[in-house]
Amino acid sequence: MAVLSEITVPRPALRIVPRGLLRIELRRNAMIWMLPVAVALFWWQAYRHVMALPPMWNIRAMSMQNDALLDFAMPVAGAAAWMGWRERRRNVTDLLTSTAKVRWARNLATWAATTCWALGGYVACVAVVYGITARQATWGGPLWWPVIVGAAGIPALSAFGFTAGALLPGRFTTPLVTMAAFFGLGFSSSAASGDHSYLLVSPLIAGSVDVGADPGVATFYRYLPDLSVDQVMFLAGLTIALLGLLGSVTRPASSQSWRLRASTAVLAACGLAASGTAVALAGTAHLDAHGMTVIPALHDTASDQPVPYTPACGGEVPVCLQPAYSAYLPAVTRALEPVLAAVAGLPGAPARLSQVAEVYRQLPGNGILPGGGDGSAGYFTLPPVPGWEGETSADFASQLALNAAVPLVSGVLGIPARGAGSPAQEAVLSGLTRVGAVQGFGAGQGGIKQGLLPQPGSPVALAARRFAALPASAQHAWLLQHISALRSGQVTLAQLPLETGEDRA
Amino acid sequence: MMVTPARSSARLRGASTPAGLPRLIWLHAASRRVPGALVVLAACAGVMRVILASRWIVPGGPGSTQLPAMIEGAVAAVVVVTTYNPFGESESATGRWLPWLRAGTALAVTAAAIGLLSVAVAGAALPGGDLAMIRNTAGAAGLGLLCAGVVGGLLAWIGPLAYTVIAVIGIGERWTSPWTWPARTGLDRGAAICAGLAFGAGMVLIAVRGARNCVSD
């Protein structure tokens, strides 16, 4: 007979969430029934919105961070709250108190199962969007930080709903928690500003508030993870704090429970500290020149280096774009080719036109001032591409003329950077670029400086219309012959060429 | 003290007479957690008041209609979970007053919700006005009552909240269908008819059949 002291009792493996219990919870979870709702919401709102955007990784990934998490907010928080008050609803709280596992461990298993299902649904939805984008995008690769922020938001939503359900069990808890999650998350970013705002910690914000998912962000320069890291820290801290709270307010039944209560209280305090730190860090955030949010304490200067790329070029006078925009190269060359052909060979005309990154500047009152290459030195910034925020191909072509053609031609014609040109210079500029006289843009509109383009209906505008009506070869020949006089302001409106057969009188 | 069978049956008979009716109504309301619902509804009205008083809503923007629509959806969700019957099927054998009690409770709680919200928005510029608030709350509550007949009282909130999400999207995308009534103006007749139909159908269903009794509840 073995002596009692010789018997070795196998010690159970230290596991907070028992595997068998987790398996049961995975099978019996309300989130399974809410997944179709979440997926339907995602399809209806996020998928349709994101897929309508231009197929660029930066725009789609940043938009999806906002939309996807909001679509999952109600189903996840609702299912978690429903699971949170299950023991009370079924009147088995006392019965389960007699089981081997403490209440916190049982709760963690239920929460983990709910979160697993929600995360699975979220990842599947993101995989569909990213899979389609991978086939459509012409350059670059997936941005993972927006996905990570969204994925960190799911456990936080689940913990919020579950803790509320467990601590405040009742028939009103689930609908109120569900609406509070949607309401709180949806409007968490509405009062945020792009500069030094604590509300930047909201997981719906991907990048600067006022720039948003702009095509110019994270193309020439890497996507800065500063804000994402801060948001993940906040969400992880919030999750830990809520789960810790769940354990610390459980009624202790033994000395072991007291130890558990103290441990979970410490856990909750750590979570709160992490979340508080993240909020404080968000308050130090500011906009950088590339349209992204920098948090000095989290910033890695190595991320500021430009992304190397081989430009996509086209046209007789090469027009070169960042390869992420190569799908728009035909439209850009079609819009700029006539202007480039007209000024080809003239002094100051660029031999090549290259796209450069936009430069962003934060203005007071939450405004943003984008800028960049002015076209005169062979550089230009691309306007918002068609499909982004309701932009049409016509808007794109018009804005392209303003962004690239007007500065380029005014440089060739010798129009001073600060000030107006002579009437003939204005007429030729308007006639060549078809801005002002033809497209109806007036001075001061569309970002054009005062006096650069003629007022509609003025003699200069009429002369511009006549010049625009000339064949391209005639425009080019006249410019080659008169460019010196035009640059020095010695050409009058009357000396501008007329169409063949047109009577000057 | 023991209650004799004769006295007990007299009490039960008394509950079905006009003299015992107030007590019956009170017991029915208490079993549906109506007092608790009124407290929660008052809190929702307070939130509405705070939102309208704060500068959170940008006048004219979609948020100015979306935020009140969300509060109204939450209020409707609270109203409809009061249809949950804790006694199960056995309650249906208790007397002839039950359909009236169910309909009366739903109507009274909806009226109380609208009244509390009206007090909360008094003097504030609610987008769409009071009529829109009444229409949105009653319409969403009607959907919830219909939902209670299908999935049970405890899950009846799914109806108003799902509808609120659709309505919030509809407001953002400027839908014009009268079935997304929160996206329409307060005086819109089509939207009022649709919301009224939803509320009427919900009331009829809850009066005739009551909320579904689910074993899984």
Side-chain angles (χ1 to χ4, degrees), chain A residues 130-153:
Chain A
Y130 271 39
I132 295 172
T133 305
R135 293 176 63 182
Q136 294 176 342
T138 54
W139 182 80
L143 298 186
W144 294 116
W145 276 109
V147 181
I148 292 169
V149 173

Side-chain angles (χ1 to χ4, degrees), chain A residues 34 41 44-45 48 71 74 78-79 82 85 89-90 171-172 174-176 178-179 182-184 187-188 190-191, chain B residues 31-33 36-37 40 51 56 67 70 74 77-78 81-82 84 154-155 157 161 164-165 169 173 175 216-217:
Chain A
M34 292 305 273
L41 270 175
W44 182 256
Q45 208 253 333
R48 290 192 317 147
D71 292 336
M74 283 180 95
W82 184 255
W85 76 292
R89 187 171 64 246
R90 295 186 175 169
R171 63 173 76 188
F172 304 116
T174 311
L176 289 177
T178 306
M179 190 50 90
F182 184 60
F183 182 90
F187 289 90
S188 60
S190 59
Chain B
S31 73
R32 265 60 176 178
R33 300 281 191 275
V40 176
I51 287 171
W56 214 2
L67 268 170
M70 287 162 77
V78 171
V81 291
T82 59
Y84 173 64
L154 277 185
L155 288 171
W157 52 270
L161 294 197
T164 301
V165 174
I169 295 171
E173 296 188 0
W175 291 352
S216 59
D217 285 346

Side-chain angles (χ1 to χ4, degrees), chain B residues 84-207:
Chain B
Y84 173 64
N85 157 27
F87 309 113
E89 240 177 347
S90 55
E91 193 190 47
S92 60
T94 54
R96 60 195 163 85
W97 288 103
L98 197 57
W100 300 103
L101 286 171
R102 286 195 297 243
T105 305
L107 194 63
V109 179
T110 309
I114 290 171
L116 286 166
L117 283 181
S118 299
V119 171
V121 303
L126 184 69
D130 285 3
L131 284 178
M133 182 271 292
I134 294 169
R135 176 197 65 197
N136 297 348
T137 309
L143 290 176
L145 295 175
L146 288 171
C147 201
V150 179
V151 295
L154 277 185
L155 288 171
W157 52 270
I158 291 174
L161 294 197
Y163 179 78
T164 301
V165 174
I166 294 168
V168 165
I169 295 171
I171 292 166
E173 296 188 0
R174 297 188 179 157
W175 291 352
T176 54
S177 167
W179 288 104
T180 49
W181 49 79
R184 306 279 286 251
T185 58
L187 295 171
D188 189 280
R189 191 179 296 171
I193 290 170
C194 290
L197 279 174
F199 185 66
M203 285 299 295
V204 169
L205 181 73
I206 218 67

Side-chain angles (χ1 to χ4, degrees), chain A residues 27-74:
Chain A
R27 281 204 337 258
R28 313 265 178 202
N29 200 282
M31 192 60 219
I32 301 171
W33 302 103
M34 292 305 273
L35 266 184
V37 178
V39 171
L41 270 175
F42 176 85
W43 173 80
W44 182 256
Q45 208 253 333
Y47 180 83
R48 290 192 317 147
H49 175 227
V50 171
M51 283 297 132
L53 293 170
M56 297 170 72
W57 281 110
N58 54 342
I59 303 178
R60 288 195 175 176
M62 291 166 78
S63 297
M64 206 191 56
Q65 178 181 329
N66 181 303
D67 294 351
L69 193 58
L70 200 53
D71 292 336
F72 272 77
M74 283 180 95

